[in-house]
């Protein structure tokens, strides 16, 4: 059987092939990077040989992250909904131990991913849990392993079991966040709204590794799109990246600071 090559830098799995692709389009895009010594490829079997997944609590949800760190290092979150668990984001490694841990939580009703940097091995996960992967159509060109399990959605919003997927754009045209209304509300933000070391602030970028900002009008549009949603906490893309309180005000004040910086007012 042909292997599905996996890009070592971004962790995205490609369609089956005899040879790995010449390049990874996701890493060649200015929003990622290619290592100085060139592109490297791996497979799920190779990855499983020296990595495992940690499945543990992260700010009230169950997180799944690979150790040692692989690719961009994000951890996924299992988010309960009225239709069953939604896996928010995804990781590349899927082994039996992880699958059994997710089964014990009730399995998955759907997988939803903020943007192509976390597409990882989403199709493997969808097949194992017999569920769809919900992706925004505006980012369809970045799907490296097409599959019938992938369900593209259009427009600004999509509801799933009381949760809302909101297209926020910015970092990617189809950049998506997930709003969970339970409790005081949580925004699961990937790196569309980036949780930074000072938890009283967040930030926004077009390219994080290459430090290329977004236009002010786009950041303002993103902040406005979040205005109808109530949320105290913001959960970013990595273990422990949580804004614990006042999330909505944090987004507003951070967008204002960003606009002032772009206008030269902080110089
Ligand atoms: Zn890549
Ligand atoms: Zn990204």
């Amino acid at each position: 059987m042909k292997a599905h090559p996996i890009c070592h830098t971004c962790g995205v799995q490609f369609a089956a092939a005899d040879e790995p692709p010449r390049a990874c389009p996701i890493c060649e895009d200015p929003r990622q990077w290619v290592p100085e010594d060139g592109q490297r490829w791996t497979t799920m079997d190779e990855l499983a040989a020296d990595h495992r997944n940690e499945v543990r609590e992260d700010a009230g949800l169950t997180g799944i992250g690979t150790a040692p760190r692989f690719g961009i290092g994000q951890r996924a979150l299992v988010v309960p909904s009225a239709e069953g668990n939604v896996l928010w984001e995804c990781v590349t490694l899927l082994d039996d131990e992880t699958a059994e841990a997710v089964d014990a939580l009730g399995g998955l009703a759907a997988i939803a991913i903020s943007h192509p940097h976390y597409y990882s091995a989403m199709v493997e996960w969808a097949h194992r849990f017999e569920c769809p992967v919900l992706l925004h159509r505006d980012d369809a060109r970045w799907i490296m392993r097409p599959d019938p399990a992938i369900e593209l959605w259009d427009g600004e919003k999509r509801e799933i079991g009381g949760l809302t997927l909101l297209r926020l754009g910015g970092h990617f045209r189809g950049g998506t966040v997930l709003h969970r209304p339970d409790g005081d509300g949580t925004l699961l933000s990937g790196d569309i709204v980036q949780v930074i070391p000072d938890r009283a602030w967040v930030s926004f970028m077009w390219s994080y590794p290459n430090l290329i900002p977004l236009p002010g009008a786009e950041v303002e549009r993103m902040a406005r799109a979040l205005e109808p949603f109530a949320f105290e906490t913001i959960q970013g893309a990595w273990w422990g990246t949580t804004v614990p309180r006042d999330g909505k005000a944090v987004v507003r004040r951070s967008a204002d600071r960003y606009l002032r910086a772009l206008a030269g007012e902080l110089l």
Side-chain angles (χ1 to χ4, degrees), residues 5-6 23 26 48-49 60 73 75 77-79 126 130 132 137 147 154 163 179 189 195 197 200 212 224-225 243 256:
I6 292 169
I26 293 173
R75 58 94 184 84
L77 292 168
V78 179
V79 187
E130 298 179 339
R137 190 183 301 278
D147 190 89
D154 301 276
L163 310 173
H179 179 255
S189 70
V195 176
I212 305 171
R224 288 206 179 160
V243 171
D256 290 342

Side-chain angles (χ1 to χ4, degrees), residues 7-12 14 24-27 32 39:
C7 169
H8 211 280
T9 311
C10 70
V12 168
F14 283 61
C24 170
I26 293 173
C27 288
Q32 251 288 106
Q39 187 61 60

Side-chain angles (χ1 to χ4, degrees), residues 33-261:
W33 55 284
V34 176
E36 204 45 39
D37 54 358
Q39 187 61 60
R40 281 200 293 145
W41 299 92
T42 185
T43 61
M44 189 67 87
D45 286 347
E46 280 176 23
L47 185 63
D50 53 7
H51 289 72
R52 57 182 298 278
N53 283 333
E54 288 179 69
V55 181
R56 61 177 161 90
E57 190 263 334
D58 192 12
L61 293 168
T62 301
I64 304 171
T66 303
R69 182 188 161 116
F70 178 70
I72 298 171
Q74 78 277 6
R75 58 94 184 84
L77 292 168
V78 179
V79 187
S81 89
E83 290 177 28
N85 290 324
V86 174
L87 186 69
W88 170 245
E89 314 290 23
C90 196
V91 297
T92 308
L93 178 63
L94 176 59
D95 57 13
D96 290 343
E97 197 185 330
T98 310
E100 283 158 22
V102 174
D103 281 339
L105 295 168
L108 298 178
I111 299 166
I113 302 179
S114 62
H115 72 296
H117 290 156
Y118 305 144
Y119 283 178
S120 59
M122 59 186 176
V123 171
E124 298 271 341
W125 284 73
H127 290 175
R128 170 60 178 77
F129 295 100
E130 298 179 339
C131 71
V133 185
L134 309 178
L135 303 179
H136 199 280
R137 190 183 301 278
D138 285 357
D139 291 337
R141 60 175 287 224
W142 301 105
I143 295 167
M144 297 298 143
R145 181 181 172 186
D147 190 89
I150 297 172
E151 202 178 302
L152 299 173
W153 60 279
D154 301 276
E156 300 304 306
K157 270 194 262 179
R158 190 196 192 285
E159 305 282 334
I160 174 159
L163 310 173
T164 305
L165 290 166
L166 177 67
R167 186 198 77 87
L168 215 54
H171 179 39
F172 272 79
R173 272 181 62 96
T176 297
V177 295
L178 180 70
H179 179 255
R180 183 181 188 222
D182 305 57
D184 295 322
T186 304
L187 184 71
L188 297 114
S189 70
D191 57 5
I192 304 306
V193 174
Q194 181 79 284
V195 176
I196 52 178
D198 182 341
R199 300 298 201 247
W201 301 87
V202 291
S203 198
F204 316 85
M205 291 287 257
W206 185 73
S207 172
Y208 291 99
N210 302 311
L211 306 175
I212 305 171
L214 284 166
E218 179 70 355
V219 171
E220 179 59 25
R221 191 194 57 70
M222 293 167 78
R224 288 206 179 160
L226 286 169
E227 266 163 25
F229 296 87
F231 54 93
E232 268 301 296
T233 53
I234 303 173
Q235 282 189 242
W238 293 269
W239 291 116
T241 52
T242 304
V243 171
R245 69 189 71 84
D246 219 16
K248 199 175 161 112
V250 165
V251 168
R252 185 62 261 174
R253 102 164 65 98
S254 301
D256 290 342
R257 181 174 76 169
Y258 201 94
L259 294 174
R260 288 204 309 280

Side-chain angles (χ1 to χ4, degrees), residues 17-29:
D18 291 323
E19 295 285 323
R22 188 194 57 76
C24 170
I26 293 173
C27 288
E28 295 220 323
D29 176 78

